[in-house]
Amino acid sequence: MKWRYFRVRSKQILWNEDNRVKLRNFNYLPRWLVIAIDLAIVIFSFFLSFLVVSNLNVSFYDVLTRPQECVFISLVYFASFFIFSTYAGLIRHSTFVDIFKIAISCGASALFLSIISYSYYGIFEKKIFLFPFLLINSVLTFAGMLMLRLTVKSLYSFIMNMGRKRHRVLILGVNDDSIAVGEALSIADHKNFVLVGFVSFNKRYKKLKILGVPIFKFDNLFFGSILPLKVNGLILVGNQLDTSEKNNIVDKALEQNLRIYHAPSITQWENDADVTSNIKEIQIEDLLERHPIKLDDTQINSYLNDKTILVTGGAGSIGSEIVRQVSRYKPKQLLILDQAESPLHTLELELRQQFPEVSYEFILADVRKKNRLEKVFEAYEVSVVFHAAAYKHVPLIERNPTEAIQVNIIGTVTLADLSAQYGIDRFVMVSTDKAVNPTNVMGATKRAAEMYVQALMQERQSNTKFITTRFGNVLGSNGSVIPHFKEQIKNGGPVTVTHENIIRYFMTIPEACQLVLQAGTMGQGGEVFVFDMGKPVKIMDLAKKMIKLSGLIPGEDIEISVIGLRPGEKLYEELLSDQSTTLPTHHEKIMRAKDDTMFLEDVMNLIIEIAAAAEQSDDLGMIGKLKVLVPEFKSENSVYELLDLPSCSDE
């Protein structure tokens, strides 16, 4: 029975169900086995050394017999293995340090044996060991132990990469970061990449090599010169290139059907990840022309540190990032309010792990319910409110306008009134570029919310500073175009674009939230701050580049389908209305838009009428009143276009 168990168990360990050897299960050799093999090498080296020295016409001393010498020498080497921990590292990850340990161990053993031999000679006038024998034995032992490690390392690498598809790549740059990544590639266990060479931007190196591979100059002849090498891709390391240079290289590389990868500076690598996990295909977000944002941490810290902060819509894309960034300023307490249960729970698990020192309160609530919100203001001494709760998807809101009225307008009114009533210091509202000359219900509701907080500030019935921040599309937010395109490409297409000429401004979620925090420090109340969104991006070009970055050809591997503008969608987004004046601020990426404000009573009366129509599910009446409140709201590609006709306006 025992033999049968051993046979079955051995088969489970060594073989897969398809009868292929599972050599990849041998991730490391046990330490006892390493020591046993090293001792076997010592014994083998002893007898080999004996044979070598015997041919030198010398006589061995007769203090010890040959077996006794072998045992004595083996014990000394065995002790040195423990002293210098030659067995401690994983053989497959052996480095120069491990080789150095082996050399020191063998040298120290030979030295100790020599000292014993000469000490014995000093007492009894006889030597135990021949010095040439000890020297040759030490060298052979070192060579044997080194060969063991090199053999295991090479065998492991061969087995792990057997059948693995490997990409032949060039690394851009010849600086320390690029060379460090090249070294990491050369010693990696999982060789997904084969380093073919480096690329210099400034100088031509003729015969010089780094890590045994040549250096190419990036010029007009570059792609022709690397053609014989069958290069599959380029690796960009760190941030040594600005966005325009990076785009130039990527565009040219994509024309040659090369894959583009990005590796962070090696000091930023995740320690528990292998080389392959740190080198990833470059993302479209990395190629959008964005410049780093400089924040005034001192000002931000002064109004967030040791304060109670409320973030509505805190489990959403923007709200959750605001929460993460606020957490770094060590608030007294951070209240995270959202009506979405599962995302709120997921965020709680993340934050309690990442920021265990911050006091959080996760509040499941709806901004439309005044009684629920009032309990929150009563229970906590809120100092700052970041209002990010909103419905934002244009086509969906166009079909369900009542919900947008109740959340985007009534929810904001309720929250703003309570903020003024309880005398909080700052109310920072997150708005959108779609509020400028809106062509859809979503944009119009956000503009109505802006108008209310501006009017409330103008009345100055409290000390609360009401500040509005307005920006465009954010990369990677829920339902945004880039994740949508990625999913379509993953599924084989087609990639759907609403119009060939449609353009959009883009900003990353962290960028947008950083500017929200900064704008919160700058406002004195009533301002609408507009963020520098950089250059607008043509969505058709975005789709084509994303397909190419996936290693596919637009129009051949992945089709691009133009499906027409969606309800309420317009070709060009705006950040400022025609009537606005733009004033600079002390932050280069934040401008101040000065819109005309209405009296609070007039705004409130129209909002009451809009809310009443919403309660009756009277969509046309509700949107009609919304167009009175926001006269620049002209519907496009929508059922509400009829309300813009002169006959309807006269009514």
Side-chain angles (χ1 to χ4, degrees), residues 506-530:
F506 285 103
M507 177 175 282
T508 66
I509 294 176
E511 278 182 308
C513 295
Q514 286 171 356
L515 291 177
V516 168
L517 297 190
Q518 187 70 71
T521 70
M522 299 162 55
Q524 298 304 310
E527 303 96 340
V528 175
F529 288 112
V530 180

Side-chain angles (χ1 to χ4, degrees), residues 314-328 334 336 341-358 360 362 509-510:
S317 303
I318 298 296
S320 61
E321 182 60 26
I322 290 176
V323 168
R324 293 183 191 97
Q325 294 193 22
V326 170
S327 297
R328 299 187 181 100
L334 192 45
I336 305 168
E341 177 196 17
S342 294
L344 190 63
H345 173 68
T346 302
L347 182 64
E348 178 177 5
L349 296 177
E350 173 196 330
L351 293 175
R352 293 203 186 281
Q353 182 177 7
Q354 288 189 359
F355 304 97
E357 72 284 358
V358 177
Y360 291 108
F362 294 86
I509 294 176

